[in-house]
Every structure is written in structure tokens, then in C-alpha cells.
Amino acid sequence: MTAATSSATSLRAEQDRGRRNAQNKEKWAQGRTYISAAVILIWCLAPAYWMVVTAFREVGFTYDTSILPSHVTLDNFNTAFDTSFGNRFGQALLNSVFIGGVVTLVSLVIGVFAAYALARLNFRFKYMVLGFILGASMFPGVALITPLFQLFTNIGWMGTYQALIIPNISFVLPLTVYTMTSFFREMPWELEESARVDGCTQGQAFRKVIMPLAAPAIFTTAILAFISSWNEFLIASQLSSDATQPVTVAIANFAGAQPNQVPYTAIMAAGTIVTIPLVILVLVFQRKIVAGLTAGAVK
Amino acid sequence: MATEVGPTPVKAPASGGAPIHHGPKGVGEDNKILSQGKWASWLLAPTIIALAVVIVYPIISAIVMSFQKDAGLDPATGLFTAGGPAGVQNYVNWLAQQCSAPAGGTVACPPGTLGAQFWSATATTFFFTVVTVTLETVLGFWMAMIMARTFKGRSMVRAAVLVPWAIPTAVTAKLWFFIFAFEGIANKLFNTSILWTGSEWPAKWAVVIADVWKTTPFMALLILAGLQMIPAEVYEAAKVDGATAWQRFRLITLPLVKPALMVAILFRTLDALRMFDLPYILTGGANNTTTLSILVINQIRQGFNAAAALSTITFIIIFLVAFIFVRFLGANVVEQSGATGKGKK
């Protein structure tokens, strides 16, 4: 806005015009932000919404295109749990909860110590350990599956829960360790020092002072670990049996009454049941989860 | 700059300064490190042992297996073949697309068999990786830029992007299978009649679109976290100096967000290279959507050892890509302060 003229009045006029322009620009920018935000909302939510709407539609109206629910029914949810076509969705839900629970618990109990050491202690080979754990988290599942498939076949573990839990730990544990490590770094460690000045040992300081403070971080990590285990498909699709399969496998293999007709509405109902608890969990703990997701990578 | 904003979990605390000095007073520095090292090894032992059992053992076992012949009925000949050492034959078979011939020796694998699919699966895997990661980076960057602005309902948008991320991939695949059904909403919306999962390019794009939908939010959140580390004053100063919006983006945002961006791209690339669930469920690997991971899974029931060779090749490919990223593109995950330095150049 540097006016070429030397006259003060024209400079002021120029400045006024500039301010108006800036205001208009601001409004326009704000408007564009809202339009973009709306596009993001629709892009992210519309497909998920379509799943939920379809889950409530009568089978005869599977391909209905009305945006609001029409021909509403709860039958699809009954069909999802129906075992007469060989589906075991109810059992699979329990399996997923059980597998996810054990994997989360084991990973947290083991990982919390490692995270503490990595966040707080100074020792040799630290980079190596960090690199190893990070490398492990990027490890391709298929590189594990072949030897495990053979091993579990040989020792008769195929289709057992432990055959699903153990490989899952290899995916979840590294995630747990590095998420918790980054949380631990941001904690008020002066309190630990105070506790030690007051005569606590390092172990006591950890248990009595740090653990309660770390609880929210551990809880967030637990959610991330559980979601990761809940979503696992590769290992489960190969090593589970009908009795132990988790929901992801059950949904992928969902069969209908007619072999050549995909029971879309029932699958969407099953998908809704599997997804809703996660979505609620994620929305309630949104801030914490985003912090946990990005902690390991960016901060 | 990034060194100021909270230490990374993967950086030695020495660079952060404070933590090591919180130890008990009156203990010599050497003793302290020694005792901390002892502590650390006890605390780390369970994790290291667990990962050694579930990752290191399978890797070694897979490598050993990959040099063994598969025993059992040869699918090509119907004759029983004994196991035993195979040298690098399994690797040669995949890379040269050779199958064992009835008369002994090898011939080119007939089209349609798994052996004939190695290079097409590799090409498909890289196609998916390059296309999805590119789209996710561009879209994710755009989303992050929007979410970094202040406006009413921002927290709603930030919550909404978590929804695709939270939906299990298996469910995502089924959902998009339904959306892309012949009578599904995609065809109706665009007034087309494409058999999405029925021929090569529509099937590939169906996988790409579903994957981009599912994983862009993750990318966007990582980039957003990077954007939020840039202090507002830098932009103010640039504005005062008369930098245009494009200049501000190119000269401030891009270089300062680069370390976070590179890590996000690295994570997504490695994830895309092992892509399995989505194409496996959405298209069943038909119409040239078979990725390397799917090929390994299809091979397992036809012979462990050949599958082990293929999974080792897949592992090496992924390892090489990670190496290139870290070494040449400055995606330094283990020492992000270094990556920041490079980004500033």
C-alpha cells in the first residue's frame, strides 16, 4: 500500500481503500474456509453415514437413494446376529473384545516399563532400541505370517486364541511403547524428584507419584492399542477358525441366504455395530487421541 | 525450531537437557549412568524379549525357510517332491517368474498361476503406494491447512476426520464395496453404469478412493500437528515484509512443516506398501489389484517356503524404501532434530 503520490489526502484514501479491501478479503477468506470445512465434513462423514442409513433400510430397499432413512427397520441387526447362514457375528464380537483386551493389557504392562526407560533414563544403545521399536512398528505383517502359519500348524495352535493374540502383540506393542514414551516426556517429572527428596526410592516414586499422573496417558494409549487390535485383519484372516475369528474376519466373510446375493443391509448393520463404539470412544476422547496419534511422529 | 517444541520420543534426552540431571544428588555422574543403564535394561527387557519372540524369530525363520524346497505334491505336475535345501531357487522362481517343470528344471510360469504374478503384483503395489500417498499428501495438506485456521465449528471438523480413521479397514472395504456396487450409490450419483470391481482400472481406482478416504485423516492430523508448531509471529513478520500468501506458503509453511510431512509420508508409504485388507476384501485381488501381501497370502497354502521367499522379498522392498526415505529424503524418524536442520536449508 505504498502510495506513489506525495499528497497526504490521497494517501489516506488509499489506506481506507486498502482497509476495505482487506476486510472484504478477510470475509471472502472466511467464507472459503467454511466452504472447505463443509467439503471436508461431507467427504469424511457421508460414506459412514451411508453405512448407518443402509443398516436401517429394509432389504428390498437396499439401493434406495433417499438421503434420510426410509423404510426403516431393525431386521438387519437381527440378520447380522443370525447364525443360520453360517455367520457367527455375535461370537466374533466377543472374540474381538477378548483378543483386543488381552493384547492391550499385555502391551501396556510390558510397554509401560520400556516407555519409562526410554523417556527418563540415559543409557547406551538407546538409539538402537528406539530404532528397533520404530522399525518393528512398520514391519509388514506378511513377513510374519508365513513362518507363524507353519509354526502354529506344527504345534497345533491354528485357530486358537493365542495364535491370534501373540502376532497382534507384535503390532500393538511398538505402537504402545512409542506413544507412551512421548506422553511420558511431557509429564511434570519434578514431582518425582520431590518424592525422592522425601525419601522414596525410584521405584516408589514411579508407583506412587508418576503412575497416578500417567493414568490419562496410559488410558489414551490403551484406546489406541485396542483400536489397532480391533481393526487387525491380515493375521486373523489366516490363523483364526470359525470359533475364534474376530469381527473383521466375520464381516469380510459375511454370507447371505443366497450365495450369489450379497446381504448388503445386514453387512452394513454389522459394520455399524462394530464401528459405533469406536466412533463414540474416539469422539469423546478426541483431543487425547489426536495427541496420541501424532505424538509418536511429529512432536 | 522443532527442538524447542517438546522433545520427540525418539530423541535421546541428552539433547533435551534437563531429564538426566534429575537423578539423586551426591551420586557420581558415571555411577548414575551405570545405574540408569542397569535400570533401563531391566525395564526394557520384557519389551525386547517380546518383540524378539514375535518379530525377530519369524524373520529369521522366514529367511531359513525361503532357502528350502517345498515338500509335497507339486501343483504343476501332481508328483510328490521332497523338501530339502533349495539354494536361491525360490527367489529365482519369483523374480524370473519360473515354475518347476514336470520333467525337472523350470519353465516360465503359465499365465494365471501365482508364480506369473510377481512383477504385476509389484507394479500394482507401487501403483497403489504412489497414487494413494500422493493423493493423501495433497488432500491431507489441504485439510490440515483448513483445520489450522480459526473458525466456528473447527473442533467439529477435527472430530469428523477421525471417523474414517476409526472405522476398521475391513468394514471400510465392505462399505465401499457397497458404494461401488453396480446398483450402488456411486453409479447413481454420477449417473454412470460402471462395473467398479469388474475390470482393471475401475477396480484399481475403487481401491485407491477407499484407501484415500480411510487414511487421509491420519495424514491430515500429522501435518496439522506440524503446522501448529510454526509460531504465528513468523507469519506476521512475513506479512509485514510484504510476502504474498503463496510466498508465505512456499517459504515458511513448507520448509517448517517438512520434517513432520516427511515422517507422515514415510509412515503412509510403508503402510501402503504392505496394503492387504482393502484390496483383499474389496476386489479379492481380481483384475490386477493383487498386491505383494495378497500374493504372499495366496501362496501360503500352496507352499510355505516359496511364500517365505516372497515375504522376504516384500520385506526387503519395504526396508529399501524406508532406507531411501531416511537416507536421501531426510525423513529422519529416529533423530528428528537432524531432519529439521535439513529442512531449513
Side-chain angles (χ1 to χ4, degrees), chain B residues 257-275:
Chain B
V257 89
K258 196 190 159 204
L261 185 66
M262 289 313 292
V263 171
I265 292 176
L266 173 69
F267 278 14
R268 277 302 311 145
T269 302
L270 300 188
D271 216 28
L273 283 173
R274 59 185 178 188
M275 191 192 288

Side-chain angles (χ1 to χ4, degrees), chain A residues 139-155 158 167 235 239, chain B residues 53-66 296-297 300 303-312:
Chain A
F139 198 71
V142 281
L144 302 182
I145 188 101
T146 319
L148 291 182
F149 195 99
Q150 193 196 29
L151 175 71
F152 291 160
T153 306
N154 290 345
I155 60 176
M158 285 299 279
I235 297 286
L239 303 184
Chain B
V53 170
V54 293
I55 292 184
V56 178
Y57 163 74
I59 297 177
I60 294 169
S61 163
I63 292 172
V64 171
M65 282 165 71
S66 68
V296 174
I297 295 301
I300 283 183
F304 294 137
N305 298 330
L310 184 59
S311 74
T312 306

Side-chain angles (χ1 to χ4, degrees), chain A residues 1-7 10-12 14-15 18, chain B residues 240-242:
Chain A
M1 287 304 122
T2 50
T5 58
S6 55
S7 146
S10 79
L11 177 64
R12 200 167 306 136
E14 188 89 344
Q15 281 174 337
Chain B
V240 170
D241 289 347

